[in-house]
Amino acid sequence: MGKVTRRLIKKSLGRFLSIVLLTMLGSMTLIGLKSAGQDINRSANEYFERLSTMDLAVIGSQGLGAADEEEIREAPGVSEVEFGNFVDTGLANSSSAIRIYSAPRKLSKFEVVRGRMPSREDEIALTDRYRGKYKIGDIVEFSEKSDNLMQLKRHAYKITGFINSSEIIADNTLGPANAGSGALSGYAVVVKSAFKQNVPVIARIRFKDLKDVDRFGDSYTDKLKKHSKELEKLVSDNAPARKVELERKLRAEYEWRLTRSNTSGFYAGQTNIGKNHLNGKVAHPSKLSVPEPEYHVYTFRTMPGSDGVKMLRNMSFGIGKVGNVFPVVLYLVAALVTVANMTRFVYEERINAGVMKALGYTEHDVTKQFVTFGLCSGGIGSFLGVLLGTYGIPYILCSSLMANMTMPIPALKFNWTIVVIAVLLSLSCTVMPVLAIVHREFKANAAQLLLPKPPSSSSRILLERVKFIWKRMSFIQKVTARNIFRYKQRMLMTIFGVIGSVALLCAGLGISSSVNDIEGRQFGDLIKYDVVVTKSDEITNDEQIKFDKILKSSSVTRYEDVYIKQVSQQIKGVDDEQDITIMATSKKSFAPLIDIKTKALHKSITLPKNGVVITEKLAKLLGVSKGDTFNLNDGGKTYTVRVSEIAEMYAGHYMFVSDDYYSQIWGETPAANSYLVKVNEKSDIANVASKFMNLEGVKGVAHNLNIIEQVRGVSKSLLTVMFVLTIMSTLLAIVILYNLTNINMVERIREISTVKVLGFLNKEATMYLYRETIVLSIIGIGLGLISGKILHDFIIAYVAPSHVMFTPNIEIWGYIVPSGAVIGILFVLCVYVNRMIRKLNMLDALKSVD
């Protein structure tokens, strides 16, 4: 039987290789997509565990007092707590912002890439991204605004090493900063004693029940939410006592200094307390005060600077989601063609099976050779698919997606569960159909099997009943129509094969166009400003003059004053809290710096009098539409707002409201606290942002470069996946159409010989055979484009991160390329068929029995 099987493989080598390729594509895509996401997850978990990355953090705007520390230590489920400091400052003679941390001992440790950690107050370790700019032993200097002046003992440090952070893992988007241009350029570590005051601003916390739990899994997320809510509740009433404590210390310092000197004015402040309300003037101790302390609870995914963690999660999440959809479609199409191939194979060997039965072989013996054929083809295809899916695709995806991450590229490992599933699916496609077909066809006795299987009988088709069309059709057209419906299985195989290939190509290219379109649509058509500048609550006249001078400089094209507030909302069904930007104005709209439009009509929206305008992704997450209401949590209070319009927006969550409606709901008039600024040259954004940040009257600066980098990160991850899948889909289309063309050719070889004997030329004989394939492929292309659009819409809704919405439109090339690819493949195969017909030995073909 082994010789017989080898003969079968050698005889049907083209069929064997095509099945190998089909099973390889299916298993490779499934394993590759599922493994890549899991490799990233596993590697990230190992990295975070190795550096003991915190689970939650509490940051106090005015520092954390002794009572705060004690309360946090005793929070439910806490296993470890470490308190520390950090401050945002700027590199001297530069607009670059640096975050300087006190060196942690236990939690969220830094990975030393070169050199060592600092051990003295005049030493510092810099982020590894600065290794090309500085070297160990260099002196680096910082410049701080006066608000931060008292936080560090010195401004010049000797570099001892280069490090990576376990909290800030992105190398291209490090998040916003309170210094420099408003965007963080790097980070550094000094010893704890390098900070002037021993008042911590951050508490990093780990919990007992979160140890060794997958940080990207549902279990971790659910437990983290529970701990976050408990901690928020715990510190929610700490502000009054902390304010009293700070003011008492401030008065004591004031009185102590007053007894030591009778001079200048007096400026009282502490490291993390912030500027007091004296503005440098001597006042009675009873009038000394500090701003109301604020406490913020962050997860390791929402911490300032954690954009990289979000991007990492979005990458693995997006790959996994695509891996749940694409391989299913690919497997179905591959299985369909494999079944057609194996069915034809069994029919071709019908007489040989009859001979074997006549010689005394059992049905089991006859079946065995076909099962072996299926096992060999499926097994080799699965083996190649496992190797490429485990090491090839994940390597391409991970090395590309994590190129801008400080984490190491994940080690690629076997995912045995997915491997077993993929192998079983592949073997099922090649073996199960064989068993069913062989059992059906070969249960007859040897005498029946030795007779050729009668060809499909021609019957009248529905089109023949439409007389006014049928009588106008030519002979060739009538033959084509009859043959299409005569071979129904081949008709369905061709149509569905082309549909699957075109749908996958269309969806893949469509997602690429949807992702690529976000940046231009969001930051070109809808949002026209470049920088948002928030003023300090107590800006002086002198500071306002400096502020206005920059606004009216030649670097600024236009500016508008607005009220802006950021709130965080926990939305049911969404893992992390969502940041919502509320914008209010007394004008009818935010034009020309923000063009609020409806998605369907792209029509500009005027701010409603009795409701708000929210962006589309936020509306979807909240499950609301026009006319609905929803609850918004702000500062511990809940407000019910009405949705009047839903606006087009693709990155971030926004709520636009008129001053009047804001006053009606919040009970206070929103005084303009920010400016939307459009810069003259895009290349000058960072420089202008830095000028604003250096002003004493500025509370914060944010520019679109950070958001754009986040969007680009999401886009890159999906584009890389789609590139791989587009190649897979193209290969699938080639294999499918080749197989179906080959089957069609083999099945009708006597028919083709007959028409050639009757005088058909080679080209006419080719079209006689191939015209049906062309017609069926055109039908498949049309249905495939429709299916591709449906698949595209499903995927962009399925894989988009919670703060991003992809544009739903597929650019015209997303339809042209799949259609052109299939037409190109058909043309090449037409040339192949023509050459085969030229070489056809008509006499041998007519003598053969089929």
Side-chain angles (χ1 to χ4, degrees):
M1 291 303 294
K3 290 183 178 179
V4 174
T5 304
R6 287 196 296 272
R7 179 186 63 80
L8 283 177
I9 293 174
K10 186 176 180 181
K11 177 183 175 183
S12 305
L13 188 60
R15 175 181 288 118
F16 183 85
L17 293 176
S18 65
I19 294 175
V20 167
L21 192 55
L22 283 170
T23 52
M24 183 194 76
L25 286 173
S27 55
M28 176 175 65
T29 306
L30 176 64
I31 296 170
L33 292 181
K34 299 304 289 186
S35 295
Q38 292 186 14
D39 285 338
I40 292 174
N41 270 11
R42 187 194 63 255
S43 178
N45 276 292
E46 290 172 355
Y47 184 77
F48 293 138
E49 190 61 34
R50 178 163 59 86
L51 297 177
S52 300
T53 307
M54 59 88 180
D55 296 314
L56 288 179
V58 179
I59 296 179
S61 64
Q62 305 294 347
L64 300 172
D68 298 327
E69 292 186 32
E70 186 64 25
E71 194 171 45
I72 291 170
R73 282 194 181 96
E74 295 179 357
V78 170
S79 63
E80 291 180 286
V81 181
E82 185 169 15
F83 298 91
N85 282 298
F86 68 86
V87 61
D88 288 355
T89 183
L91 278 173
N93 304 314
S94 169
S95 62
S96 298
I98 301 291
R99 184 164 295 150
I100 301 180
Y101 293 92
S102 61
R105 291 182 294 107
K106 298 184 297 181
L107 302 184
S108 294
K109 292 180 287 189
F110 290 83
E111 181 182 41
V112 178
V113 180
R114 287 283 176 89
R116 61 175 176 83
M117 291 285 280
S119 58
R120 304 190 323 180
E121 289 183 358
D122 63 344
E123 293 180 339
I124 194 168
L126 285 180
T127 173
D128 189 50
R129 71 198 308 252
Y130 280 164
R131 194 165 14 133
K133 186 176 181 180
Y134 299 97
K135 62 180 184 294
I136 294 174
D138 285 354
I139 302 298
V140 60
E141 295 186 21
F142 302 99
S143 59
E144 298 178 279
K145 291 168 63 173
S146 59
D147 275 1
N148 298 325
L149 188 60
M150 299 187 68
Q151 299 200 36
L152 294 169
K153 291 181 179 178
R154 59 191 302 123
H155 295 283
Y157 299 87
K158 182 180 179 180
I159 300 173
T160 63
F162 296 95
I163 54 169
N164 284 329
S165 168
S166 62
E167 293 178 353
I168 303 177
I169 62 171
D171 207 26
N172 59 342
T173 170
L174 284 68
N178 292 323
S181 65
L184 201 62
S185 298
Y187 48 83
V189 174
V190 295
V191 295
K192 197 170 185 179
S193 59
F195 283 80
K196 274 197 172 182
Q197 299 291 332
N198 194 27
V199 180
V201 291
I202 182 171
R204 294 183 174 92
I205 309 163
R206 292 197 74 178
F207 293 89
K208 298 173 186 175
D209 59 350
L210 296 179
K211 186 174 176 57
D212 298 326
V213 180
D214 177 14
R215 286 177 176 253
F216 300 102
D218 292 337
S219 177
Y220 182 91
T221 300
D222 293 339
K223 291 176 181 177
L224 197 65
K225 282 182 183 177
K226 178 175 174 288
H227 290 307
S228 180
K229 288 179 181 178
E230 289 174 347
L231 211 52
E232 285 174 353
K233 186 177 180 181
L234 205 62
V235 300
S236 62
D237 57 354
N238 288 19
R242 179 64 178 154
K243 180 176 171 68
V244 170
E245 177 189 0
L246 291 173
E247 290 177 346
R248 184 173 64 248
K249 289 182 178 179
L250 201 57
R251 292 189 190 99
E253 183 181 351
Y254 173 86
E255 290 169 354
W256 178 79
R257 293 199 180 199
L258 204 60
T259 59
R260 304 255 318 177
S261 173
N262 291 321
T263 57
S264 67
F266 167 69
Y267 172 76
Q270 293 188 32
T271 304
N272 301 301
I273 295 175
K275 194 163 99 175
N276 63 58
H277 292 186
L278 292 177
N279 291 322
K281 298 179 181 178
V282 178
H284 193 274
S286 64
K287 295 182 180 179
L288 290 171
S289 64
V290 296
E292 185 76 15
E294 296 178 357
Y295 294 86
H296 299 279
V297 178
Y298 297 98
T299 71
F300 85 107
R301 294 201 297 250
T302 60
M303 267 285 286
S306 66
D307 294 343
V309 180
K310 293 176 194 168
M311 288 169 59
L312 189 74
R313 184 171 183 269
N314 289 336
M315 286 176 193
S316 62
F317 180 82
I319 293 172
K321 290 287 189 181
V322 173
N324 290 338
V325 179
F326 258 72
V328 175
V329 179
L330 195 149
Y331 255 120
L332 287 174
V333 176
L336 203 64
V337 178
T338 302
V339 169
N341 237 325
M342 296 304 291
T343 302
R344 180 60 200 169
F345 182 44
V346 172
Y347 288 165
E348 288 175 4
E349 296 297 318
R350 175 186 174 89
I351 294 178
N352 289 333
V355 171
M356 291 181 69
K357 271 198 168 186
L359 293 174
Y361 287 95
T362 65
E363 185 177 330
H364 173 76
D365 294 326
V366 176
T367 304
K368 186 178 178 181
Q369 61 179 326
F370 295 102
V371 171
T372 305
F373 185 95
L375 281 173
C376 289
S377 58
I380 294 173
S382 299
F383 175 75
L384 295 174
V386 168
L387 289 181
L388 292 172
T390 302
Y391 300 110
I393 291 181
Y395 176 79
I396 293 170
L397 293 177
C398 292
S399 58
S400 174
L401 298 178
M402 299 185 68
N404 293 318
M405 294 286 175
T406 59
M407 286 175 50
I409 300 298
L412 306 177
K413 296 183 180 180
F414 263 82
N415 185 327
W416 287 106
T417 303
I418 299 300
V419 167
V420 170
I421 291 172
V423 171
L424 288 177
L425 284 173
S426 296
L427 295 181
S428 297
C429 291
T430 56
V431 175
M432 298 303 290
V434 171
L435 291 173
I437 297 163
V438 168
H439 177 71
R440 186 184 69 213
E441 294 295 324
F442 295 170
K443 63 183 178 182
N445 57 40
Q448 291 174 315
L449 290 174
L450 286 169
L451 294 174
K453 189 176 177 69
S456 301
S457 60
S458 181
S459 58
R460 297 186 68 188
I461 60 175
L462 183 63
L463 193 60
E464 291 186 53
R465 302 179 188 278
V466 187
K467 298 294 185 182
F468 71 94
I469 295 178
W470 185 255
K471 67 181 182 182
R472 287 176 171 78
M473 293 173 66
S474 66
F475 168 75
I476 293 296
Q477 290 171 336
K478 289 177 180 179
V479 169
T480 301
R482 280 182 173 150
N483 280 336
I484 285 175
F485 291 98
R486 178 186 176 192
Y487 301 100
K488 294 183 175 64
Q489 185 185 41
R490 191 174 64 240
M491 174 187 74
L492 294 175
M493 293 293 178
T494 305
I495 291 175
F496 282 110
V498 174
I499 286 175
S501 303
V502 171
L504 290 172
L505 272 171
C506 181
L509 294 170
I511 290 171
S512 299
S513 67
S514 294
V515 168
N516 279 327
D517 201 31
I518 294 177
E519 187 177 329
R521 186 66 184 147
Q522 171 92 353
F523 301 105
D525 300 335
L526 303 176
I527 290 181
K528 313 291 179 67
Y529 65 84
D530 301 303
V531 180
V532 178
V533 186
T534 303
K535 296 191 296 183
S536 177
D537 295 334
E538 297 178 353
I539 187 170
T540 64
N541 290 333
D542 289 343
E543 291 166 351
Q544 184 66 54
I545 290 171
K546 294 177 183 176
F547 192 92
D548 292 339
K549 186 177 180 181
I550 300 177
L551 286 175
K552 295 174 182 176
S553 68
S554 59
S555 299
V556 175
T557 302
R558 191 180 183 99
Y559 63 89
E560 295 287 339
D561 60 335
V562 295
Y563 173 80
I564 295 181
K565 176 191 283 189
Q566 280 244 313
V567 299
S568 293
Q569 182 89 341
Q570 185 65 60
I571 300 175
K572 187 177 180 181
V574 182
D575 290 344
D576 297 322
E577 284 190 341
Q578 299 300 299
D579 292 328
I580 302 173
T581 302
I582 301 174
M583 289 191 179
T585 182
S586 58
K587 300 176 182 177
K588 292 183 178 180
S589 70
F590 291 88
L593 294 184
I594 305 178
D595 196 357
I596 310 172
K597 292 183 175 181
T598 58
K599 179 185 172 184
L601 302 175
H602 299 297
K603 182 181 178 183
S604 295
I605 298 172
T606 301
L607 288 177
K609 296 180 180 179
N610 294 307
V612 300
V613 179
I614 63 173
T615 48
E616 186 179 0
K617 187 60 181 267
L618 179 59
K620 286 183 177 179
L621 294 180
L622 291 169
V624 297
S625 54
K626 286 175 61 174
D628 293 342
T629 60
F630 70 95
N631 293 329
L632 186 71
N633 299 318
D634 179 16
K637 296 181 180 179
T638 301
Y639 302 91
T640 301
V641 295
R642 180 179 178 275
V643 180
S644 290
E645 289 285 354
I646 295 175
E648 179 183 9
M649 200 69 73
Y650 298 98
H653 304 306
Y654 294 86
M655 188 173 88
F656 303 104
V657 57
S658 66
D659 281 358
D660 291 341
Y661 188 72
Y662 186 96
S663 301
Q664 178 185 331
I665 300 298
W666 272 263
E668 60 184 24
T669 302
N673 62 357
S674 303
Y675 285 90
L676 306 179
V677 179
K678 184 173 178 60
V679 178
N680 194 27
E681 296 289 340
K682 296 293 182 185
S683 58
D684 203 29
I685 291 175
N687 182 46
V688 172
S690 180
K691 289 179 181 178
F692 280 116
M693 187 60 83
N694 288 330
L695 297 178
E696 293 299 322
V698 171
K699 189 175 183 180
V701 174
H703 47 72
N704 293 335
L705 298 179
N706 276 331
I707 305 174
I708 290 173
E709 283 298 329
Q710 286 187 45
V711 171
R712 284 175 179 169
V714 175
S715 302
K716 182 182 177 182
S717 66
L718 279 175
L719 286 174
T720 306
V721 177
M722 289 305 119
F723 175 75
V724 173
L725 291 179
T726 299
I727 293 175
M728 298 296 104
S729 303
T730 305
L731 288 174
L732 181 69
I734 293 171
V735 176
I736 286 172
L737 289 172
Y738 168 78
N739 271 277
L740 293 173
T741 301
N742 209 41
I743 291 171
N744 195 21
M745 178 77 183
V746 172
E747 280 186 344
R748 301 174 63 189
I749 193 166
R750 297 185 70 201
E751 185 180 346
I752 297 301
S753 298
T754 302
V755 297
K756 284 196 71 177
V757 168
L758 292 175
F760 277 56
L761 299 176
N762 283 321
K763 289 183 180 179
E764 293 173 328
T766 299
M767 291 309 298
Y768 177 87
L769 175 74
Y770 208 64
R771 190 175 287 106
E772 298 153 30
T773 302
I774 294 173
V775 171
L776 294 174
S777 296
I778 290 172
I779 295 171
I781 289 172
L783 295 175
L785 294 177
I786 296 171
S787 303
K789 174 59 177 170
I790 295 170
L791 183 61
H792 164 267
D793 291 345
F794 172 75
I795 290 175
I796 63 171
Y798 191 50
V799 305
S802 57
H803 65 292
V804 173
M805 188 180 76
F806 300 132
T807 58
N809 300 325
I810 299 179
E811 294 181 15
I812 189 66
W813 55 266
Y815 296 107
I816 292 175
V817 172
S819 305
V822 173
I823 292 171
I825 295 168
L826 288 172
F827 176 78
V828 173
L829 288 175
C830 184
V831 174
Y832 162 77
V833 170
N834 183 261
R835 297 180 84 178
M836 292 293 290
I837 289 176
R838 283 178 182 274
K839 296 178 182 179
L840 182 64
N841 188 318
M842 293 177 285
L843 186 60
D844 288 345
L846 289 171
K847 286 196 299 183
S848 67
V849 273
D850 190 8

